[in-house]
């Protein structure tokens, strides 16, 4: 049998001794260490630097470097992102070179420049697409007026070929004692309904190149049928809409043929009123 051993209880401290014992001192709190502020290398370099060094090190502070050709807020707002020339370059086919695979022959260009020269007798130019469709070739030109241009279109293009061209007419101011004429160039896109659909579809992308060659035009018109779209009275309405505040009171499409266009109702010839406030 195992022996039972009685445990001796711990000795109790007398109450008097407990009262006289000094209270333990409170533990001192550890000081909180402040986290040092992080400084940039540039800022750290400024500490303890001389005035000249500070000036040198801080020369680039606050400057945003722009490498796209902008010059800051004064060139379009913000960082210059709205400045002219920002972003990818937009290429215009109407300027130089044109679309790849399409051009206007030099003969067409030269003929049109003659048409724009008041001292030259040329009054119409007509260009037709080459067999390859890559060039606009000179088809007809002459000193005739609108009727001759219509005839050239009918004979050279018919109702199944497309082309570009134009003619010169005149805005006429007949004020009784004074008659003045101003040349007006009309740029024509000829696209008959019977022409092949694919060829007509390509004309839209060719227009910029054609207009660059046939420049200085006062009005652009789309002609599908010469008998319906080149009526003189309708041309007068379009020309008057395309002019500025001063509108002629007539137009000349054929030699010595005056077509009435009294837009303001001031009268024509001897009955014409002046352009004062009372004349309207």
């Amino acid at each position: 049998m195992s022996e039972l051993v009685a445990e001796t209880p711990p000795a109790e401290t007398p109450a008097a001794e407990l009262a006289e014992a000094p209270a333990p001192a409170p533990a001192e709190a550890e000081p909180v260490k402040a986290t040092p502020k992080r400084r940039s290398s540039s800022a750290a370099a400024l500490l303890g630097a001389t005035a000249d060094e500070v000036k040198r090190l801080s020369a680039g502070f606050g400057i945003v470097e722009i490498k796209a050709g902008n010059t800051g807020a004064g060139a379009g707002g913000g960082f210059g992102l709205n400045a002219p020339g920002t972003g990818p370059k937009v290429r215009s086919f109407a300027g130089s070179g044109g679309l790849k695979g399409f051009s206007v022959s030099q003969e067409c260009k030269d003929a049109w420049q003659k048409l724009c020269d008041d001292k030259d007798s040329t009054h119409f130019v007509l260009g037709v697409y080459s067999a390859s469709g890559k060039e606009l070739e000179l088809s007809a030109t002459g000193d005739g007026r609108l009727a001759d241009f219509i005839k050239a279109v009918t004979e050279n293009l018919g109702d199944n070929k497309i082309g570009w061209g134009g003619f010169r007419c005149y805005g006429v101011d007949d004020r009784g004692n004074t008659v003045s004429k101003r040349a007006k160039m009309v740029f024509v896109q000829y696209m008959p309904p019977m022409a092949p659909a694919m060829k007509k579809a390509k004309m839209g992308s060719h227009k910029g190149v054609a207009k660059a060659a046939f420049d200085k035009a006062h009005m652009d018109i789309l002609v599908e049928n010469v008998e319906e779209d080149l009526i003189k009275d309708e041309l007068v309405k379009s020309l008057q809409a395309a002019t500025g505040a001063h509108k002629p009171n007539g137009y000349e499409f054929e030699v010595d043929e005056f077509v009435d266009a009294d837009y303001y109702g001031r009268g024509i010839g001897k009955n014409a009123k002046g352009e004062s406030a009372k004349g309207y």
Side-chain angles (χ1 to χ4, degrees):
M1 295 180 63
S2 58
E3 293 182 358
L4 296 175
V5 180
E7 295 181 357
T8 304
E12 294 183 359
T13 305
E17 294 182 6
L18 291 175
E20 294 176 0
E28 295 183 1
E30 295 184 2
V32 178
K33 296 181 180 181
T35 304
K37 294 183 179 180
R38 299 182 63 184
R39 295 186 177 90
S40 64
S41 58
S42 299
L46 291 175
L47 296 177
T50 64
D52 291 339
E53 290 176 341
V54 169
K55 184 177 180 181
R56 177 179 60 82
L57 292 172
S58 62
F61 285 7
I63 297 177
V64 177
E65 184 178 1
I66 303 295
K67 296 183 179 180
N70 303 312
T71 56
F79 292 138
L81 299 179
N82 298 325
T86 300
K89 183 178 180 181
V90 178
R91 181 182 177 187
S92 173
F93 296 117
S96 60
L99 287 171
K100 183 178 181 181
F102 178 71
S103 61
V104 178
S105 69
Q106 191 60 45
E107 286 184 311
C108 281
K109 295 178 181 179
D110 293 342
W112 183 262
Q113 294 307 313
K114 289 181 180 180
L115 182 147
C116 296
D117 185 357
D118 289 343
K119 298 178 181 179
D120 196 278
S121 61
T122 302
H123 275 75
F124 74 87
V125 175
L126 180 64
V128 63
Y129 281 82
S130 62
S132 65
K134 295 182 178 181
E135 185 178 36
L136 190 70
E137 300 175 339
L138 183 63
S139 177
T141 183
D143 56 4
R145 302 299 181 89
L146 178 60
D148 292 290
F149 176 72
I150 294 175
K151 182 179 179 181
V153 172
T154 303
E155 293 179 350
N156 292 275
L157 300 180
D159 59 359
N160 61 354
K161 293 182 180 180
I162 57 177
W164 303 90
F167 59 91
R168 186 204 302 176
C169 60
Y170 296 89
V172 182
D173 271 322
D174 187 352
R175 305 298 177 189
N177 296 329
T178 304
V179 178
S180 62
K181 294 182 180 181
R182 295 181 178 87
K184 303 288 184 180
M185 274 62 74
V186 180
F187 175 66
V188 175
Q189 176 184 358
Y190 182 65
M191 189 172 64
M194 298 299 292
M198 289 298 294
K199 291 184 177 181
K200 290 192 293 184
K202 291 181 179 180
M203 292 194 83
S205 60
H206 294 171
K207 186 173 183 179
V209 180
K211 284 200 67 174
F214 299 144
D215 58 353
K216 305 182 183 72
H218 294 83
M219 182 178 74
D220 302 359
I221 58 173
L222 171 64
V223 175
E224 295 181 332
N225 186 309
V226 292
E227 295 180 358
E228 297 177 1
D229 298 329
L230 292 177
I231 297 174
K232 295 172 184 176
D233 289 338
E234 296 301 320
L235 289 173
V236 166
K237 293 178 182 178
S238 299
L239 284 165
Q240 291 289 68
T243 59
H246 178 83
K247 300 181 185 295
N249 58 19
Y251 285 88
E252 181 182 290
F253 298 99
E254 305 293 343
V255 179
D256 297 330
E257 180 183 277
F258 183 84
V259 180
D260 184 1
D262 191 11
Y263 185 85
Y264 294 113
R266 293 196 295 263
I268 300 172
K270 295 180 180 180
N271 298 320
K273 299 177 183 178
E275 295 190 22
S276 63
K278 295 180 181 180
Y280 287 97

